[in-house]
């Protein structure tokens, strides 16, 4: 009977994983708008300083959000356009003049395709343009009026379509491989995961009581009590707002007021910093419990995390009230903030599960952690906008797990979140992979060094 139940359990597990693979494959294949951008290069010649704007879309209805503008006179221009487009519109300034558009190239990584947009199969129509003469890989033309533009159809670019399909297949393979790897790891270590889950479930009441008691006693000796838990973050937020908005004149980030944009980044960071700092010190602080033979020492890090979450929930409510006060409407996607709050708690717990054990044997860890937190506060784009950075270096900052969380907060509140897109799924896998690795290292260190705690403490 046990063997039969075991086989049925494995079959059910495999069917669930295959179902998730199919679901993720469907999501990626039907979300072409999230594919990476390719580069459109062209040589532009004119006598006047003016703007060149490129619009793109799947239809001939072009909007400002799907465009890129360059102010120039003559030279080689580069535009970032997505691979899913079928139609392209090039606006050639706002002043009448004789112009040339040549050497048109679409490139992506090592792939390049040189073509003439003005050939019959690509060129559709124009506006405010006269004397258009097709030349080798381009055209000479004369513009009149204030809105000259050309519209092109890119359906004949077979090379672009091939690379798009190849890119989709690579992404589906990558995501499904990551999911299958996590599933295999969970199956291999299922007994240890089940044991840890039982320990926390069995001691859930004790964890809650210790967390509430930790929150109360942290400020028990002061006159104003827990009031001090909220004063320092509020003063820090006010100080940063004054320096960056009032002093450095940062009034807006895109269309978002700088004050609410800044608060949306600082609130998750304060929670992360609080958890890492407090959990690192938990075994020293509760040394009288660690020395007890029958006390489950492993529950102390979650106790400190839950204690810090009380303050975070308060600031999360304040953040939402300020968000509504700035005139933003309530939307159901805001509930995703709870997901990202859980991400902060688990990631911070994963990191501090390692530092808390090392701190028992090496007290300098506390000073090292405070320095690292200061560095990472600036590396994580909390006080500055990542979009101002050169696009070639953005990926370095995106490797930081806290970027995933801070960017998630801001996308949920001020942007259009694509929570089922390939980019979100890929960064989610990356984030949870870091958490799992850190938790595994912390688990191994804990059970190897736990017998020596009483001797050191």
């Amino acid at each position: 009977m046990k063997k039969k139940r075991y086989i049925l359990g494995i079959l059910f597990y495999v069917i669930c994983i295959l179902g998730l693979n199919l679901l993720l494959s469907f999501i990626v294949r039907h979300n072409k708008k999230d594919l990476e951008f390719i580069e459109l290069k062209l040589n532009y010649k004119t006598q006047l300083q003016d703007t060149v704007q490129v619009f793109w879309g799947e239809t001939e209805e072009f909007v400002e959000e799907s465009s890129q503008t360059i102010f120039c006179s003559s030279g080689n221009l580069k535009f970032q356009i997505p691979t899913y487009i079928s139609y392209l519109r090039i606006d050639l300034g706002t002043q009448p003049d004789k112009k040339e558009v040549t050497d048109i190239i679409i490139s992506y990584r090592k792939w390049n395709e040189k073509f003439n947009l003005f050939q019959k199969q690509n060129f559709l129509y124009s506006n405010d343009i006269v004397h258009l003469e097709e030349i080798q890989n381009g055209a000479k033309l004369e513009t009149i009026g204030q809105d000259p533009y050309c519209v092109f159809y890119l359906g004949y670019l077979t090379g672009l379509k091939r690379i798009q399909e190849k890119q989709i297949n690579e992404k589906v393979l990558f995501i499904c491989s990551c999911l299958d790897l996590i599933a295999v790891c969970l199956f291999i270590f299922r007994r240890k995961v089940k044991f840890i889950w039982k320990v926390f479930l069995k001691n859930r009441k004790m964890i809650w009581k210790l967390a509430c008691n930790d929150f109360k006693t942290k400020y028990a000796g002061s006159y104003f009590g827990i009031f001090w838990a909220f004063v320092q973050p509020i003063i820090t937020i006010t100080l940063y707002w004054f320096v960056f908005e009032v002093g450095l004149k940062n009034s807006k980030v895109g269309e978002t007021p700088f004050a609410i944009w800044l608060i949306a980044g600082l609130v998750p960071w304060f929670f992360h910093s609080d958890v890492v700092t407090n959990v690192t010190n938990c075994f020293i602080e509760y040394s009288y419990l660690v020395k007890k033979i029958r006390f489950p020492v492993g529950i102390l890090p979650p106790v400190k995390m839950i204690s810090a979450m009380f303050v975070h929930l308060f600031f999360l409510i304040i953040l939402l009230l300020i968000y509504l006060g700035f005139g933003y409407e309530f939307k159901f996607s805001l509930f995703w903030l709870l997901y990202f709050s859980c991400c902060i708690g688990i990631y911070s717990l994963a990191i501090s599960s390692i530092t808390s054990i090392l701190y028992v044997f090496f007290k300098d860890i506390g000073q090292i952690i405070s320095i690292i937190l200061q560095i990472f506060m600036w590396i994580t784009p909390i006080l500055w906008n990542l979009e101002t950075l050169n696009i070639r270096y953005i990926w370095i900052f995106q490797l930081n797990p806290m970027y995933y969380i801070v960017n998630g907060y801001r996308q949920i509140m001020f942007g259009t979140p694509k929570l089922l897109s390939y980019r979100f799924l890929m960064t989610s896998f990356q984030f949870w992979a870091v958490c799992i690795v850190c938790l595994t290292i912390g688990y191994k260190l804990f059970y190897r060094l736990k017998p020596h705690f009483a001797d050191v403490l």
Side-chain angles (χ1 to χ4, degrees):
M1 181 63 71
K2 289 184 179 180
K3 187 176 181 180
K4 186 177 180 181
R5 288 176 60 186
Y6 179 74
I7 294 173
L8 289 174
I10 292 177
L11 287 174
F12 178 75
Y13 188 73
V14 170
I15 290 170
C16 289
I17 298 302
L18 289 175
L20 282 174
N21 278 323
L22 291 173
L23 177 63
L24 292 175
S25 175
F26 176 82
I27 290 170
V28 174
R29 290 184 181 281
H30 288 78
N31 197 357
K32 294 182 179 180
K33 289 187 178 183
D34 194 56
L35 294 174
E36 292 183 20
F37 282 62
I38 60 175
E39 198 168 55
L40 171 66
K41 303 175 185 177
L42 56 90
N43 185 272
Y44 181 64
K45 293 180 181 179
T46 183
Q47 300 296 323
L48 304 172
Q49 283 269 343
D50 211 339
T51 58
V52 177
Q53 187 172 12
V54 171
F55 292 84
W56 56 80
E58 292 184 280
T59 66
E60 295 179 58
E61 296 180 3
F62 302 104
V63 294
E64 288 289 335
E65 289 78 11
S66 299
S67 70
Q68 187 179 352
T69 304
I70 295 178
F71 184 78
C72 65
S73 56
S74 297
N76 293 313
L77 307 184
K78 296 180 181 179
F79 298 91
Q80 298 289 329
I81 62 175
T83 58
Y84 67 85
I85 63 169
S86 296
Y87 294 89
L88 189 72
R89 171 178 146 180
I90 302 179
D91 286 27
L92 301 167
T94 58
Q95 306 174 61
D97 188 24
K98 293 183 179 181
K99 306 175 182 180
E100 254 186 53
V101 180
T102 57
D103 298 329
I104 305 163
I105 299 173
I106 282 185
S107 63
Y108 175 73
R109 294 181 181 175
K110 297 180 179 179
W111 177 85
N112 289 276
E113 182 164 331
K114 193 172 185 178
F115 62 97
N116 192 347
L117 282 174
F118 294 91
Q119 290 179 347
K120 290 183 180 180
Q121 65 266 33
N122 296 321
F123 182 76
L124 293 179
Y125 57 89
S126 62
N127 182 63
D128 287 348
I129 292 179
V130 294
H131 306 305
L132 192 152
E133 178 188 350
E134 183 183 339
I135 59 176
Q136 185 177 3
N137 194 31
K140 292 181 179 180
L141 46 90
E142 183 179 346
T143 63
I144 59 173
Q146 296 183 348
D147 189 25
Y149 62 81
C150 298
V151 178
F152 309 95
Y153 176 60
L154 301 184
Y156 294 97
L157 299 180
T158 55
L160 181 62
K161 301 299 180 183
R162 285 197 302 270
I163 195 169
Q164 183 186 47
E165 289 300 322
K166 182 181 178 182
Q167 188 179 6
I168 292 174
N169 291 333
E170 288 175 354
K171 292 179 177 181
V172 169
L173 180 63
F174 175 77
I175 288 179
C176 292
S177 299
C178 291
L179 177 65
D180 295 340
L181 181 62
I182 292 172
V184 170
C185 292
L186 287 175
F187 182 78
I188 293 173
F189 300 106
R190 65 189 183 281
R191 291 183 180 178
K192 292 182 179 179
V193 173
K194 188 177 180 181
F195 171 75
I196 295 171
W197 175 254
K198 281 185 176 180
V199 170
F200 288 120
L201 195 63
K202 181 181 177 181
N203 298 285
R204 63 187 183 279
K205 292 182 179 179
M206 186 189 300
I207 292 172
W208 179 255
K209 287 180 180 179
L210 285 172
C212 294
N213 185 66
D214 181 84
F215 182 69
K216 292 176 183 177
T217 57
K218 188 180 294 183
Y219 306 96
S222 58
Y223 183 77
F224 290 102
I226 61 173
F227 174 73
W228 292 111
F230 311 103
V231 171
Q232 184 180 354
I234 290 173
I235 292 175
T236 306
I237 289 173
T238 306
L239 181 63
Y240 281 129
W241 166 79
F242 181 81
V243 170
F244 284 91
E245 183 166 343
V246 179
L248 299 178
K249 307 298 182 183
N250 291 323
S251 58
K252 284 188 176 182
V253 178
E255 296 298 321
T256 308
F258 182 78
I260 182 66
W261 182 87
L262 175 66
I263 295 171
L266 286 174
V267 166
W269 177 261
F270 285 151
F271 182 36
H272 169 67
S273 177
D274 199 16
V275 172
V276 172
T277 303
N278 291 332
V279 174
T280 299
N281 192 43
C282 68
F283 294 127
I284 302 293
E285 184 179 344
Y286 287 97
S287 58
Y288 61 93
L289 293 176
V290 175
K291 293 177 182 179
K292 290 186 177 182
I293 298 174
R294 294 190 176 182
F295 182 79
V297 180
I299 68 171
L300 290 177
V303 165
K304 283 291 187 179
M305 184 197 70
I306 295 171
S307 175
M309 188 172 284
F310 294 144
V311 179
H312 175 66
L313 291 176
F314 168 79
F315 278 103
L316 193 59
I317 294 170
I318 296 297
L319 173 61
L320 292 175
L321 292 176
I322 296 173
Y323 175 80
L324 297 174
F326 269 87
Y328 291 95
E329 295 181 357
F330 178 83
K331 49 188 178 181
F332 285 102
S333 60
L334 290 173
F335 286 106
W336 275 89
L337 292 176
L338 296 175
Y339 162 76
F340 285 105
S341 294
C342 292
C343 288
I344 306 169
I346 295 172
Y347 169 66
S348 305
L349 188 64
I351 295 294
S352 50
S353 66
I354 300 172
T355 59
S356 60
I357 297 163
L358 297 177
Y359 187 59
V360 175
F361 302 92
F362 185 58
K363 298 299 185 293
D364 291 345
I365 287 292
Q367 304 301 322
I368 294 172
I369 288 298
S370 63
I371 294 172
I372 291 175
L373 285 174
Q374 289 181 13
I375 294 171
F376 268 83
M377 183 177 180
W378 291 96
I379 292 177
T380 304
I382 296 172
L383 305 175
W384 53 281
N385 187 10
L386 187 62
E387 293 178 2
T388 60
L389 193 69
N390 191 315
I391 194 170
R392 289 179 297 176
Y393 304 112
I394 286 180
W395 66 271
I396 298 174
F397 293 89
Q398 291 175 343
L399 294 175
N400 180 3
M402 278 305 296
Y403 169 80
Y404 168 77
I405 296 169
V406 171
N407 186 58
Y409 265 69
R410 287 171 174 163
Q411 282 293 319
I412 291 295
M413 299 181 73
F414 314 120
T416 305
K418 300 177 181 179
L419 299 171
L420 295 178
S421 64
Y422 162 75
R423 192 173 298 279
F424 176 75
L425 292 172
M426 186 177 70
T427 52
S428 296
F429 277 124
Q430 177 184 312
F431 173 81
W432 287 109
V434 172
C435 291
I436 291 170
V437 169
C438 291
L439 285 171
T440 304
I441 294 172
Y443 174 84
K444 293 289 185 182
L445 285 174
F446 177 76
Y447 280 98
R448 178 160 295 186
L449 300 177
K450 179 186 173 183
H452 304 287
F453 279 8
D455 299 334
V456 178
L457 298 173

